[in-house]
Amino acid sequence: MVDTKILVVDDDREIANALDKLLTMEGYEVVKAYNGLEALDALVQNDIQLILLDVMMPKLDGLSTTLKIREQKNIPIIILSAKSEDSDKILGLSMGADDYVTKPFNPDELIARVKSHLRRYITLGDVGNITQNAQITVGGLKLNKESKQLLVDGVPTRLTPTEYKILDFLLTNAGMVFSAEHIYEKVWEEPAYRVENTVMVHIRRIREKIEINPKEPKYLKVVWGIGYKIEKL
């Protein structure tokens, strides 16, 4: 937690201040912004490791802000929103967010999610095992666990921390089928409950990055009624 900076973005200053206090008590340094434009400026001026981002904000809303951040950075983004419908959650994840928490939120649950995403972002895998099978190759996919770089047919491809962990897990176990619940518990490191949509959105985003035709995937396939797998080529 030393020197770990979290950017809190919410136009409701009471919520921003409450999040500031909660995160500060956990030992994090907090930077606050009150709209999307201020958030983008804060990212330029600070070394941020995670973002808590409201959706409905003036000047630049949270979803548009997420899209702009994803053009340059892969740091974890947790959306905080009063909208609780599955369609809203899917939209937020599709825009590039790593997680979606509805307001009002449970402080303990939020802190657990923050810690999980930070751990995933900082380590991007099991650091203790990077010298063993440091590079995984399946067809035209090459995932280097030391550099944390994915090459698709020789072209460097940017992954978010969550996408990296999912792909790392599936590539490491190429040919094996895993349910959405199994993938969620392995990657998010928390019990799975109604997680099908969350995993599905991340799988779709990974496909868009690694497949020539995401609708007819060569690598990342669905085994209907069971789960997902990387085809062992």
Side-chain angles (χ1 to χ4, degrees):
M1 290 187 295
V2 178
D3 297 325
T4 299
K5 285 188 180 181
I6 295 177
L7 175 60
V8 172
V9 191
D10 200 312
D11 63 322
D12 187 324
R13 292 176 182 258
E14 288 188 6
I15 292 177
N17 289 336
L19 287 168
D20 185 357
K21 291 181 181 179
L22 177 65
L23 294 166
T24 299
M25 287 175 60
E26 293 293 325
Y28 300 114
E29 183 176 347
V30 176
V31 177
K32 290 183 286 186
Y34 303 105
N35 60 63
L37 293 180
E38 290 184 5
L40 296 177
D41 288 340
L43 283 172
V44 173
Q45 298 170 16
N46 298 272
D47 182 17
I48 301 295
Q49 280 77 49
L50 182 140
I51 304 170
L52 295 176
L53 182 65
D54 185 29
V55 173
M56 303 299 293
M57 296 184 296
K59 297 185 179 180
L60 190 66
D61 65 80
L63 297 182
S64 299
T65 303
T66 298
L67 283 174
K68 288 187 174 295
I69 292 170
R70 282 291 175 249
E71 292 174 1
Q72 300 291 332
K73 296 181 179 292
N74 292 326
I75 58 178
I77 299 174
I78 301 177
I79 287 181
L80 301 179
S81 175
K83 295 183 176 182
S84 58
E85 296 295 325
D86 282 348
S87 58
D88 296 310
K89 184 174 183 179
I90 290 172
L91 179 60
L93 295 173
S94 298
M95 293 295 185
D98 293 280
D99 210 342
Y100 191 105
V101 176
T102 56
K103 299 176 181 177
F105 50 82
N106 180 300
D108 290 337
E109 178 186 351
L110 180 61
I111 289 298
R113 288 175 182 261
V114 165
K115 289 180 178 179
S116 176
H117 283 286
L118 281 171
R119 185 164 57 247
R120 189 153 59 247
Y121 175 61
I122 292 170
T123 64
L124 279 178
D126 188 352
V127 176
N129 291 329
I130 61 174
T131 57
Q132 181 179 359
N133 300 322
Q135 180 168 288
I136 304 173
T137 301
V138 175
L141 304 180
K142 291 185 178 181
L143 188 71
N144 190 304
K145 294 193 176 190
E146 292 184 337
S147 65
K148 309 298 185 260
Q149 184 181 55
L150 171 68
L151 298 179
V152 180
D153 295 327
V155 179
T157 302
R158 187 187 295 268
L159 296 172
T160 68
T162 302
E163 292 165 359
Y164 177 94
K165 284 288 286 183
I166 292 173
L167 190 57
D168 182 8
F169 175 61
L170 292 177
L171 282 171
T172 300
N173 298 281
M176 298 178 64
V177 182
F178 297 97
S179 67
E181 291 79 8
H182 190 139
I183 293 170
Y184 186 90
E185 291 179 351
K186 184 69 177 180
V187 172
W188 275 261
E189 299 178 5
E190 63 183 35
Y193 175 69
R194 295 183 62 187
V195 300
E196 291 83 359
N197 286 336
T198 298
V199 174
M200 176 192 67
V201 172
H202 284 90
I203 292 290
R204 186 172 67 205
R205 279 166 38 190
I206 294 170
R207 273 185 175 158
E208 290 171 353
K209 295 180 179 183
I210 70 173
E211 303 283 2
I212 295 175
N213 182 358
K215 293 182 179 179
E216 296 182 7
K218 174 182 177 182
Y219 299 108
L220 184 42
K221 296 189 175 182
V222 173
V223 179
W224 294 108
I226 303 177
Y228 303 94
K229 70 171 182 175
I230 288 288
E231 196 70 76
K232 197 169 185 177
L233 302 176

